[in-house]
Amino acid sequence: MTYLTRATAAAGVLLAATGLLTAGPARAASRDVLPGNWLYLTVTKGEASSGLTGGTLLLCDPPQGHAHAAEACAELAAAHGDIGRIPAGNVFCTMIWAPVTAHVRGRWDGRSVDFQETYANRCVLHARTGSVFALDD
């Protein structure tokens, strides 16, 4: 097994154990389970996150997890792990209402992260969060 395969398998076991992949109540992960900075990211259609959605585990030590992991980790590092502090991109988005809800749970610099925000559409989501939620590219 490669390192990435083992890390992905271990992350899946971790997420199942902590309740992030189940419909049950959310529980905080132990600080010692995954070292470094990591976030479990989901994007769902609509104005609320649903209980059973697929997501992506973003690991930042080293960057891995989705196609733009290095960029996402760099943007998060510059914002000290606060997604709301990522500078908005200079992008023009249509005014079409097609809401998406972004949700994040994880750890950054030793502290718990739990972020949820609904955006007017995917263009606005990407303009406001950079590469962090570029999960389907």
Side-chain angles (χ1 to χ4, degrees), residues 74-97:
E75 291 167 355
L76 285 161
H80 304 287
D82 184 352
I83 294 168
R85 291 181 60 194
I86 294 174
N90 191 13
V91 177
F92 292 101
C93 296
T94 63
M95 294 178 61
I96 296 173
W97 182 251

Side-chain angles (χ1 to χ4, degrees), residues 7 16 19 23 39-40 47 53-54 62 76 98 100 105 107 116 126 132:
L39 300 173
Y40 186 72
E47 297 183 51
T53 62
L76 285 161
V100 292
R105 283 207 178 128
R107 297 202 60 80
Q116 181 171 312
H126 294 302
V132 175

Side-chain angles (χ1 to χ4, degrees), residues 13-39:
V13 169
L14 164 74
L15 291 172
T18 61
L20 291 175
L21 293 180
T22 65
R27 288 173 268 151
S30 166
R31 287 184 189 199
D32 303 322
V33 178
L34 276 179
N37 297 324
W38 63 273
L39 300 173

Side-chain angles (χ1 to χ4, degrees), residues 9 33 47 52 57-58 61 64 67 74 84 89 110 124 126:
V33 178
E47 297 183 51
L52 293 173
L57 181 65
L58 174 63
D61 298 318
Q64 55 188 325
V124 175
H126 294 302

Side-chain angles (χ1 to χ4, degrees), residues 5 13 84 114-115:
T5 304
V13 169
D114 192 356
F115 172 89

Side-chain angles (χ1 to χ4, degrees), residues 107-128:
R107 297 202 60 80
W108 194 271
D109 290 338
R111 64 175 166 62
S112 293
V113 174
D114 192 356
F115 172 89
Q116 181 171 312
E117 185 73 35
T118 299
Y119 299 91
N121 55 51
R122 285 192 181 271
C123 178
V124 175
L125 165 69
H126 294 302
R128 298 291 307 171

